Amino acid sequence: HDSAYTLWSTWMTPFLTDVVMIPAAVLGALLAFGRVFDGVNDIMMGSFADRTKSKWGRFRPWILRAGPLFCLCMALSFLIPSPNMVIRIVYACIMYVLVDVVFTAVDIPFWSLPSAMTKNVKERGDIIGTTQTTSGAISGIVGIAMPLALAAFGGETNASAYFKVAAIVAVFAAIMYLISFKTVKEHVVPENSEKFSLKLGIKSVVTNKPLLIVQIANAVGLLAMIMRGNFNYYYCVYNLGSLEIMSLLSLIGTVTGIVGSLTFIALAKKLDKKKVIFIFAACYIASCLVHYVSGWENMMVIYICSAICSISVGGFQVAVMAMMADTIEYGEWRTGQRNEGMITSTRCFVTKL
């Protein structure tokens, strides 16, 4: 899941600016529109997932159908259809929105699955922690391999190099989706007589104070993490002077991100999750400040700060996911309706926001 999305979200922007040569103003407008549109789409998708009824459950059908479709669209988005700039811009806009839509169609059901697999809070936390750890690892591997793969296929300015790598990752991700669909089971099933109510679904979100607090913390953390991650390509190329350094930073991030996820699992057994999330946030802030004031001459300082940041990010993300899942029963208690999809969609909405 994250192998395909990490490749697209990290590399689509430099692909459009440095290879397709789309004007920055057009790209900025596209990014803004895509995020606003997809934020609304997240909430809609959450309600669709919650009201889905099939022999496979509520969420697994989306893994089966939307997952491979997302992989296909992701790979096709790295094509240049014409030398004409107008056609390039139109194609880029259509594919950008399309990828966002189909990704949402699989992302919300995917992250709703842990709450449908078990009601046991400890089991669910372990599932989320393990999954997030694996997601961080595969995202890091993509980050390490992508610059090297681009160099092997013709360089970061070669359009076909992007498509070849994207196609390889798309095939891998599609296979993983099918394995997930086949092996994961939904054990928490609402009563057959229970008819989904969109009004109750919205109420389970807007009256869920614990969920609101978690998502405020999530929004603040994501603002720092996403900006830092999205500019990593430009930072390595223009400030540090080498795209290959991005592979090394990704390697550091992969290893330390896993450490951060495992650290959360260990700390959560001794401290409450709220204290743990503050610890990770404080460490992230401190390491970013040191990195900023040190400039970019001392690579050892950059590596150490990047490692601490990645540990903090790894732990912070697992904490948010685990705390958010713990609010599902609260929403069910307030409304009488279980809404894994609607509540999970708030994470996606905040991410796009």
Side-chain angles (χ1 to χ4, degrees):
H1 183 63
D2 278 354
S3 65
Y5 183 71
T6 298
L7 188 148
W8 181 77
S9 62
T10 304
W11 293 92
M12 180 49 60
T13 302
F15 174 74
L16 292 177
T17 57
D18 291 10
V19 180
V20 185
M21 305 300 292
I22 286 180
V26 174
L27 181 59
L30 173 60
L31 293 174
F33 171 79
R35 287 297 177 262
V36 172
F37 170 79
D38 203 38
V40 177
N41 185 47
D42 289 335
I43 305 300
M44 293 175 57
M45 186 59 224
S47 67
F48 291 155
D50 279 335
R51 71 177 68 191
T52 298
K53 293 183 179 180
S54 76
K55 62 181 180 181
W56 299 314
R58 289 175 294 163
F59 307 119
R60 289 173 63 220
W62 296 97
I63 306 298
L64 174 65
R65 295 163 183 163
L69 180 60
F70 160 62
C71 296
L72 175 64
C73 294
M74 183 276 292
L76 293 178
S77 67
F78 283 98
L79 288 176
I80 300 179
S82 168
N84 184 284
M85 182 54 69
V86 174
I87 296 177
R88 289 186 179 191
I89 291 174
V90 171
Y91 181 80
C93 292
I94 292 173
M95 292 307 299
Y96 190 91
V97 174
L98 183 60
V99 170
D100 250 1
V101 169
V102 291
F103 173 73
T104 299
V106 67
D107 185 54
I108 290 174
F110 180 84
W111 287 109
S112 299
L113 273 174
S115 298
M117 292 165 66
T118 177
K119 275 191 174 182
N120 184 291
V121 175
K122 183 181 183 302
E123 286 183 349
R124 191 165 57 201
D126 289 343
I127 291 171
I128 292 172
T130 304
T131 306
Q132 192 71 51
T133 300
T134 308
S135 295
I138 196 68
S139 297
I141 291 171
V142 171
I144 296 167
M146 187 67 176
L148 303 177
L150 287 178
F153 286 126
E156 67 267 20
T157 59
N158 188 316
S160 64
Y162 284 86
F163 177 72
K164 290 175 183 177
V165 180
I168 292 171
V169 173
V171 171
F172 165 76
I175 293 172
M176 293 298 105
Y177 278 128
L178 296 178
I179 291 175
S180 178
F181 165 78
K182 182 69 176 178
T183 57
V184 171
K185 304 299 179 184
E186 297 182 31
H187 299 289
V188 182
V189 183
E191 296 292 333
N192 292 331
S193 59
E194 182 180 326
K195 184 179 179 180
F196 178 84
S197 167
L198 180 59
K199 182 179 179 180
L200 288 179
I202 295 174
K203 182 180 179 181
S204 72
V205 172
V206 299
T207 64
N208 196 325
K209 184 179 178 182
L211 175 65
L212 176 63
I213 295 172
V214 169
Q215 293 300 6
I216 289 174
N218 188 26
V220 175
L222 283 170
L223 180 62
M225 296 174 196
I226 292 176
M227 290 185 68
R228 191 174 189 275
N230 284 356
F231 287 107
N232 204 25
Y233 167 86
Y234 301 102
Y235 180 72
C236 291
V237 172
Y238 298 122
N239 292 65
L240 303 182
S242 174
L243 182 61
E244 284 70 24
I245 293 177
M246 187 174 176
S247 292
L248 180 55
L249 290 176
S250 296
L251 175 61
I252 294 172
T254 300
V255 175
T256 52
I258 294 172
V259 172
S261 299
L262 296 175
T263 301
F264 165 79
I265 295 173
L267 289 177
K269 294 178 180 179
K270 299 179 179 179
L271 303 172
D272 65 63
K273 296 176 183 135
K274 184 171 69 173
K275 291 181 180 178
V276 176
I277 205 170
F278 279 125
I279 291 172
F280 284 123
C283 291
Y284 185 87
I285 292 170
S287 59
C288 283
L289 286 173
V290 172
H291 190 163
Y292 178 75
V293 299
S294 67
W296 51 81
E297 299 299 326
N298 191 328
M299 290 304 301
M300 185 56 63
V301 173
I302 292 175
Y303 293 147
I304 293 173
C305 290
S306 295
I308 296 173
C309 280
S310 296
I311 291 173
S312 304
V313 168
F316 186 92
Q317 289 179 325
V318 179
V320 167
M321 293 292 295
M323 294 172 75
M324 182 187 68
D326 290 345
T327 69
I328 290 174
E329 280 77 27
Y330 182 85
E332 185 178 11
W333 172 69
R334 290 295 302 268
T335 65
Q337 178 175 278
R338 191 170 180 85
N339 296 282
E340 290 101 331
M342 290 284 287
I343 288 178
T344 301
S345 71
T346 62
R347 178 188 66 88
C348 301
F349 176 79
V350 169
T351 301
K352 306 301 167 48
L353 180 65

